[in-house]
Amino acid sequence: MLTLHHLNNSRSHRILWLLEELGLEYDLALYQRDPKTMLAPPELKNVHPLGKAPVLTDGELTVAESGAIIEYLLDRHDDGTLRPAPSTPERVPYLTFMHFAEGSAMPPLLLKLYFSRMGEAAAAVLPRIDGQIAEILTFLDGELENRDFFAGDDFTAADIQMSFPLEAAVARGGLDHRFQNLTGFLQRIHARPAYQRAVKRGGAVTLGR
């Protein structure tokens, strides 16, 4: 039996959503952030030494890292719907945005979160971070100018992977009505039945500033 170790308001929402998209049976182990520190509880270190989510266990096997978990589940349970075949034109954008989410989109958003807590000490660097975030959002908005999803006209796991940085950008990165293609994308994924089932079971993604 698959077990997802799920931390509220974290990247593990993506895996919960994917499990629902695939229609898999799974157990859900819920963990709550400390309300003062916003850190994961120490119990997560019993599952993985770093004590972070998501972590997926499948029998004796433990898989960490969102992208690795997604690929693991797709290898075993996808019928080709959520991952374009290697010979298709959608494959390259699929691979691009599977890696873009954590490789390019998340770092400046995390920097914004941490530096924003430093007050005047961060005044000199925050404008540069905001500029990087705006550049990324402009690029992503342009990518969706003529298509509904990041790999093409069809929904894929790359859209699941991209969802978290975009949710974070709404909370603290300036993603608003100026980026109509991105806001439209978020509306489309929020309307998916599997997304709504994931929210019902594991809670909504409500990232603070």
Side-chain angles (χ1 to χ4, degrees):
M1 173 64 75
L2 296 168
T3 299
L4 174 63
H5 297 266
H6 172 59
L7 177 67
N8 69 306
N9 288 331
S10 79
R11 292 164 167 85
S12 58
H13 175 81
R14 295 184 292 198
I15 308 304
L16 179 56
W17 175 16
L18 176 60
L19 289 165
E20 291 293 338
E21 290 282 354
L22 292 170
L24 299 177
E25 293 185 6
Y26 61 94
D27 288 330
L28 189 63
L30 294 170
Y31 302 81
Q32 296 293 318
R33 294 182 182 276
D34 184 291
K36 293 183 179 179
T37 67
M38 296 307 294
L39 297 176
E43 290 80 10
L44 257 175
K45 289 191 175 181
N46 297 329
V47 185
H48 189 277
L50 293 180
K52 296 182 178 181
V55 177
L56 182 78
T57 55
D58 187 1
E60 297 298 317
L61 183 66
T62 299
V63 189
E65 295 294 331
S66 298
I69 296 171
I70 289 173
E71 295 295 346
Y72 177 81
L73 290 172
L74 294 181
D75 283 346
R76 286 154 180 77
H77 302 288
D78 182 41
D79 60 2
T81 302
L82 294 179
R83 181 168 56 182
S87 59
T88 61
E90 292 80 13
R91 182 69 172 197
V92 170
Y94 168 84
L95 291 173
T96 298
F97 290 106
M98 278 293 295
H99 294 276
F100 188 95
E102 293 296 333
S104 294
M106 280 305 299
L109 289 165
L110 287 171
L111 288 173
K112 175 69 179 291
L113 173 64
Y114 297 144
F115 276 93
S116 294
R117 295 172 176 175
M118 294 175 60
E120 288 300 318
V125 71
L126 277 174
R128 184 170 181 178
I129 296 172
D130 287 336
Q132 290 178 342
I133 294 172
E135 186 175 59
I136 288 171
L137 293 178
T138 299
F139 163 70
L140 294 174
D141 199 68
E143 287 293 297
L144 295 179
E145 183 67 34
N146 296 308
R147 61 181 191 258
D148 285 342
F149 299 105
F150 281 102
D153 293 329
D154 296 323
F155 175 82
T156 70
D159 301 299
I160 295 176
Q161 184 75 331
M162 284 295 299
S163 66
F164 189 80
L166 294 180
E167 299 280 10
V170 170
R172 52 181 176 262
L175 202 173
D176 55 25
H177 66 277
R178 294 170 297 170
F179 302 99
Q180 294 188 8
N181 298 321
L182 291 177
T183 56
F185 168 82
L186 287 172
Q187 290 170 359
R188 285 190 291 277
I189 64 172
H190 291 166
R192 293 184 69 83
Y195 184 98
Q196 295 176 6
R197 291 195 300 272
V199 169
K200 184 176 182 180
R201 188 162 183 185
V205 179
T206 54
L207 301 173
R209 293 185 181 275

